[in-house]
Amino acid sequence: MQNPLTQARLRFAALIPFLCLIACSSSAEPPDDASEGDSPIAFTNVRVITMNPAQDILEDQTVIVVGDRISAVVSSSLVDLHPDTEVIDGSGRTLLPGLADMHVHISSSDLPSYVEYGVTSVRNCWGWEGLPDIMEKAEKSEIVSPTIHSLSPGVDGTPPSWPQTQLISDPSEAPALVNRLADEGWLGLKMYQNLRLDTYNAVVDAAKARGIPFSGHVPHRVGIDRVLEAGQICIEHLSGYEVAVTTRGGQGYPAWISIDSSKIPGLVEKTVAAGIWNCPTSAIFLRLSQNLSPTDREAMANNRRAFIKALYDAGAGLLIGTDSGIDVVAPGVSLLTELRDFESAGISRAEVLRIAILDAAKFLGQESEVGQIVEGMRADLVLLDGDPLESFDVLEDPVGTMVRGRWIPD
Ligand SMILES: [Zn+2]
């Protein structure tokens, strides 16, 4: 039986002839043809948080990228790089799989800001005409952009809140509406605030018949109990729960100021039983609540954190998303607010990163493509000047981000 070091050497040796055929370039411009002619890039002597459960953290590694793929993750002592390889010094630095912001409202001018903060995937939560073209350009690396996954434009009743709302006023309209949105190729339906119970139910039936998932708000005329049994795959903003737990009435962030904590376990249990995920989007709540007194604002934030922690402890699916693009929430940098809020809820930094990277990939059905630094995965990476497991502060200013194998230094 060969020892592991010899095996690693052999595996890398198999790569050398291929690397030698490829010219090296330090350009951050997209390749003329993304499918060929890509340059090999190596991150050297770097600490790697692989997110691979079998070998989570590797010290002093060389990570080689060819095209848009991770070609090798090898101990630096075993590597002789081809002289044409572009070398990025990882000494004292940490390489992390790219982060995902799982609730954004994308606009094309915001795209580079996500990348600047290490966000390589986003879940856009309100589709719009023209977005599929931008998504395609991102896929082809024709623009600096995270990979965009997008829900449909919101399905809602009157009065509509946002442009391109897909209004439904009669249950009989649901099959045609749902089939049209499914034909447009969205990741899922976005359910919104003003759906009535009869129209919500009709959209649910049509979505199940068509086999398209649905996520979104808990419409106030539908309520949390119905949404938890309807097969919705994700609830955004913890909406609907606050109506069930508040002791001061109302809905939205003020309702979280005073809650009956004894109601949390029952709701969490139902959530776990339903298999429904939650994307709390604390970043926007912290911004919107700045008009509250400091005491009320802290109570709101802490009650939401208690709910998030209870969901986490019970094993409910959680997503880290910000609502960036809604004008009070800045794209990219706001992900840090969200990560820190999960940490403030009492979840370890390692677990917060796992949620932001691995669970996001799982939720999107992308876990064989992104979320780990292992051979064969897409090269979506962020290089940090320090260790995010010691402090999230290092995410304030990444050394650079790699999206689909394209290195974009800060
Ligand atoms: Zn939103």
Side-chain angles (χ1 to χ4, degrees):
M1 188 179 157
Q2 289 173 333
N3 75 46
L5 293 186
T6 311
Q7 283 176 333
R9 234 183 237 288
L10 288 174
R11 198 177 61 216
F12 185 66
L15 192 73
I16 297 273
F18 178 50
L19 290 183
C20 292
L21 292 173
I22 301 167
C24 181
S25 161
S26 60
S27 169
E29 292 299 311
D32 292 340
D33 180 346
S35 65
E36 59 181 45
D38 310 73
S39 312
I41 299 177
F43 298 89
T44 56
N45 303 102
V46 71
R47 179 166 199 259
V48 180
I49 299 179
T50 66
M51 289 284 160
N52 175 357
Q55 39 169 205
D56 189 16
I57 295 170
L58 300 172
E59 303 291 345
D60 198 11
Q61 299 288 297
T62 292
V63 176
I64 300 172
V65 173
V66 176
D68 70 346
R69 296 287 135 181
I70 297 166
S71 283
V73 182
V74 198
S75 173
S76 293
S77 63
L78 298 176
V79 178
D80 294 316
L81 288 172
H82 186 278
D84 284 347
T85 306
E86 180 184 351
V87 172
I88 297 164
D89 182 16
S91 308
R93 293 169 167 172
T94 304
L95 197 62
L96 188 68
L99 297 155
D101 188 332
M102 294 296 281
H103 189 124
V104 306
H105 295 274
I106 211 90
S107 65
S108 38
S109 59
D110 288 346
L111 297 174
S113 302
Y114 289 104
V115 173
E116 188 184 339
Y117 287 94
V119 176
T120 54
S121 294
V122 295
R123 171 173 169 260
N124 181 59
C125 286
W126 193 286
W128 41 274
E129 207 184 333
L131 181 61
D133 287 344
I134 292 169
M135 291 164 68
E136 196 182 328
K137 282 183 182 156
E139 292 249 2
K140 292 180 177 168
S141 297
E142 291 173 2
I143 51 175
V144 174
S145 170
T147 299
I148 304 166
H149 306 270
S150 183
L151 296 176
S152 73
V155 176
D156 201 12
T158 50
S161 310
W162 302 99
Q164 300 192 24
T165 296
Q166 306 296 298
L167 269 180
I168 175 165
S169 56
D170 188 288
S172 66
E173 298 161 2
L177 172 63
V178 168
N179 284 323
R180 176 170 56 74
L181 293 170
D183 289 343
E184 288 172 11
W186 304 105
L187 179 69
L189 304 177
K190 171 73 180 274
M191 309 292 263
Y192 208 61
Q193 201 63 28
N194 287 323
L195 283 168
R196 298 192 313 256
L197 180 59
D198 62 344
T199 48
Y200 178 85
N201 287 338
V203 172
V204 166
D205 289 345
K208 286 179 175 170
R210 177 62 195 254
I212 183 170
F214 49 102
S215 293
H217 288 211
V218 170
H220 55 88
R221 285 177 285 194
V222 175
I224 187 70
D225 286 335
R226 169 59 188 145
V227 169
L228 287 175
E229 66 180 26
Q232 185 161 319
I233 63 167
C234 185
I235 292 173
E236 314 299 322
H237 321 298
L238 300 180
S239 69
Y241 291 107
E242 87 283 20
V243 178
V245 297
T246 186
T247 56
R248 54 179 270 158
Q251 55 182 307
Y253 67 85
W256 283 105
I257 293 170
S258 176
I259 67 167
D260 178 353
S261 301
S262 71
K263 291 184 174 167
I264 294 178
L267 285 163
V268 167
E269 194 179 319
K270 281 188 201 168
T271 303
V272 173
I276 197 165
W277 294 64
N278 269 280
C279 186
T281 67
S282 301
I284 192 164
F285 280 78
L286 293 170
R287 289 305 302 263
L288 290 175
S289 62
Q290 284 174 339
N291 63 330
L292 297 176
S293 71
T295 312
D296 283 355
R297 188 166 181 256
E298 200 182 332
M300 180 222 63
N302 285 336
N303 285 332
R304 283 175 50 87
R305 287 170 190 146
F307 203 92
I308 292 167
K309 181 63 162 45
L311 288 169
Y312 170 79
D313 287 341
L318 286 165
L319 298 173
I320 288 184
T322 59
D323 226 348
S324 285
I326 301 295
D327 55 8
V328 293
V329 187
V333 67
S334 293
L335 193 71
L336 256 166
T337 308
E338 197 71 22
L339 296 170
R340 285 173 171 148
D341 198 68
F342 269 61
E343 186 185 1
S344 300
I347 303 173
S348 73
R349 280 185 289 275
E351 278 293 280
V352 174
L353 289 176
R354 186 188 57 74
I355 293 166
I357 296 169
L358 213 46
D359 286 356
K362 273 185 201 156
F363 180 84
L364 292 167
Q366 295 287 307
E367 69 267 43
S368 61
E369 179 78 356
V370 294
Q372 295 182 47
I373 303 181
V374 297
E375 212 174 297
M377 286 256 178
R378 195 165 77 212
D380 282 357
L381 307 166
V382 54
L383 184 63
L384 302 169
D385 239 337
D387 184 357
L389 297 176
E390 275 173 25
S391 166
F392 286 151
D393 292 357
V394 296
L395 287 158
E396 286 172 4
D397 189 17
V399 179
T401 304
M402 178 170 271
V403 191
R404 298 175 171 274
R406 179 181 173 189
W407 174 238
I408 298 155
D410 186 33

